[in-house]
Amino acid sequence: MPAFSLADHPHRRYNALTGEWLLVSPHRAKRPWSGQVEEVPSEVRPPYDPACYLCPGNVRSSGERNPNYTSTYVFDNDFMALLPDTPEGEVRQGDLLRASAERGLCRVICFSPRHDLTLAQMTVEQILPVVEVWAGQTLEIGARPEIGYVQVFENKGAMMGCSNPHPHGQIWATEHLPNEPARELARQEAYQQAHGRCLLCDYLELELARGERLVCANDHFVALVPFWAVWPFETLVLPREHVTDIPCLDVRPRQDLADILRRLTVRYDNLFQVSFPYSMGWHQQPTDGDEYSCWHLHAHFYPPLLRSATVRKFMVGFEMLGTPQRDITAELAAARLREMSETRFR
Ligand code: H2U
Ligand code: ZN
C-alpha cells in the first residue's frame, strides 16, 4: 500500500478557524460532468443604466432618488432584514421552543458610480474609497448601543443571487453575533488560551513558510487558499499585522488592502475568463464593547465555480446532511490561482 498523501487519498481536514471538518476526495477530481451547466451572463453593460436602482441620479423602489455620486454611496437598505426599533421580546417553552427579538440594520454600499465596473476592473485608487467606507461604516454602526456585530459583505453575480450587476456590497449589523463569527470567536479564544498566541498570526506564519497555498501578497496583506477550504477556489485574505478590524488599519495597510483586492479579483476573473461570482465578507471583532484582542481581521471569498464558467459546485446530498466535501485540493486550487495574470482578460 502506498503511503498516505493529501494529494491522492480521501481524507478529512480540520478547519482550525471554525472547529469543523471537511472531506477531501482528490482521487475524484476527474469525475465526468453531465449535470447542470450555468449560463454565462453577458459581460457588456453600459456605464450608466437608466433602469438600475443603484446608478447615480436614479430613483429606488422607496421613491428616494440617489444623488449624483462620483465615488462610493451608502444608503439604508429599503428592504432591511433587521430593524433598529424592534421591540424587545422573547418566546420560550422549555429548551425546545426558543426565540428572541433581534435588532439591527442593513445598508447598501455602491462601490462606484459606474454601472459597468467590478472590483476587478477598478483601479487601486478607485477601490481605496470602498475600504474607507467599510472602515467608516464599521465604526459608525458598531458604536450604536444595540449593535453587537457588523457584517460587511459583497454578493457578486447572478449565480450568487445578486439582484443587480452594479458594483455594490452590503452591511447587515446585528445585536447578537451571527453563527460563523461566533464559531470563529470560540476557536480564536481557545487557541489564545492554549498557546498564548493568535491563531491566525500563527497560521499565516505557517502558510508563508510553506508557500504551497499562497495566491498573492504585498507588504501588509496575504491572499491564500486555506488548508480547510470547502469551496473550490475559496480564499482567505489576511493582514500580516495583528489587527482586530478594518478601522484599526493604518493608511498604508488600507492601500495595500485595495491592492490585494484588485489583484485577487483579477486572478479570479482570469481563471475562467468571466466576471467571477462569489460571496465575500469581512470577519471583524464584535462591537458589543467587550475585549476581543484574540480576533484577527480577515476576509473570506467563497466562489461557487468549480471547473469552468458554467459548472458550479452544489452543497447538496452528503454535504447538506453530513459534511462539506471537495475534490480538487486546496493546494491545486492555489497553484491555479497563483499562475493567473494580474492583468484582467479583455
Ligand atoms: P443584492 O446585493 O443581493 O443584489 O441586494 C441588493 C440590495 O439592495 C437588496 O438587499 C436592496 C435590496 O433589499 N434594494 C434597495 O435597498 N432599494 C431598491 O430600490 C432595490 C433593492
Ligand atoms: Zn447601475
Side-chain angles (χ1 to χ4, degrees):
M1 263 235 263
F4 168 70
S5 112
L6 291 177
D8 298 317
H9 302 121
H11 59 276
R12 359 187 256 154
R13 286 193 192 196
Y14 180 64
N15 182 333
L17 196 50
T18 62
E20 286 164 348
W21 293 84
L22 70 131
L23 191 63
V24 185
S25 316
H27 63 292
R28 200 162 164 266
K30 290 180 200 80
R31 178 167 71 115
W33 181 261
S34 45
Q36 178 166 324
V37 170
E38 307 289 333
E39 232 174 89
V40 182
S42 159
E43 274 277 304
V44 216
R45 298 199 302 272
Y48 167 77
D49 178 353
C52 168
Y53 58 80
L54 297 178
C55 274
N58 290 357
V59 176
R60 302 202 303 274
S61 32
S62 61
E64 221 172 299
R65 187 180 290 280
N66 298 326
N68 282 311
Y69 65 96
T70 54
S71 173
T72 57
Y73 173 55
V74 184
F75 64 90
D76 278 346
N77 196 312
D78 298 311
F79 308 95
M80 290 207 205
L82 295 133
L83 300 166
D85 54 2
T86 302
E88 278 185 44
E90 199 182 26
V91 169
R92 178 126 198 200
Q93 200 169 330
D95 284 336
L96 296 178
L97 301 186
R98 298 177 62 176
S100 60
E102 180 74 4
R103 288 177 297 174
L105 61 88
C106 304
R107 287 186 180 160
V108 178
I109 305 170
C110 300
F111 293 167
S112 161
R114 286 271 304 268
H115 186 79
D116 56 339
L117 297 184
T118 62
L119 287 179
Q121 290 154 295
M122 286 162 65
T123 62
V124 173
E125 293 69 32
Q126 289 171 325
I127 298 174
L128 187 56
V130 176
V131 173
E132 298 295 350
V133 167
W134 286 340
Q137 290 291 314
T138 299
L139 268 188
E140 182 202 315
I141 299 173
R144 295 171 68 120
E146 80 277 18
I147 298 300
Y149 186 75
V150 181
Q151 182 59 61
V152 174
F153 66 97
E154 180 194 4
N155 223 10
K156 177 173 174 253
M159 208 181 278
M160 297 308 287
C162 181
S163 62
N164 188 331
H166 192 112
H168 71 284
Q170 296 192 49
I171 292 177
W172 288 28
T174 52
E175 197 172 338
H176 293 94
L177 206 50
N179 294 341
E180 285 298 309
R183 276 190 267 272
E184 292 186 354
L185 176 61
R187 296 327 310 155
Q188 289 181 101
E189 274 177 346
Y191 190 92
Q192 183 87 46
Q193 283 265 315
H195 303 274
R197 293 178 48 88
C198 161
L199 187 157
L200 285 177
C201 283
D202 277 3
Y203 178 63
L204 182 56
E205 195 182 307
L206 179 156
E207 289 293 11
L208 287 171
R210 296 186 67 102
E212 61 194 331
R213 281 173 295 271
L214 299 180
V215 175
C216 55
N218 56 32
D219 284 351
H220 294 95
F221 277 87
V222 177
L224 54 87
V225 178
F227 180 73
W228 51 77
V230 165
W231 294 92
F233 293 97
E234 175 178 337
T235 51
L236 186 65
V237 177
L238 288 166
R240 291 180 190 262
E241 188 195 356
H242 182 83
V243 292
T244 51
D245 55 21
I246 303 175
C248 285
L249 292 173
D250 224 324
V251 178
R252 282 291 316 283
R254 288 183 192 201
Q255 287 166 348
D256 273 3
L257 172 50
D259 172 74
I260 207 90
L261 287 172
R262 191 199 71 77
R263 292 165 55 196
L264 178 61
T265 53
V266 165
R267 284 170 183 271
Y268 273 143
D269 281 10
N270 284 339
L271 188 61
F272 299 134
Q273 310 256 303
V274 70
S275 183
F276 212 69
Y278 56 74
S279 272
M280 73 78 70
W282 288 97
H283 280 153
Q284 315 189 70
Q285 69 170 335
T287 60
D288 59 0
D290 275 357
E291 235 287 284
Y292 294 103
S293 57
C294 70
W295 194 280
H296 194 122
L297 170 71
H298 60 277
H300 299 279
F301 276 80
Y302 297 131
L305 290 178
L306 180 59
R307 64 182 70 205
S308 71
T310 57
V311 176
R312 63 160 297 164
K313 172 177 180 60
F314 288 95
M315 285 279 192
V316 295
F318 185 80
E319 315 195 84
M320 234 180 203
L321 293 151
T323 293
Q325 181 269 352
R326 66 180 292 137
D327 294 344
I328 168 184
T329 61
E331 296 71 39
L332 272 177
R336 291 284 307 280
L337 286 171
R338 217 167 30 236
E339 72 198 17
M340 288 300 130
S341 160
E342 292 184 349
T343 304
R344 193 179 184 273
F345 76 93
R346 292 187 66 85

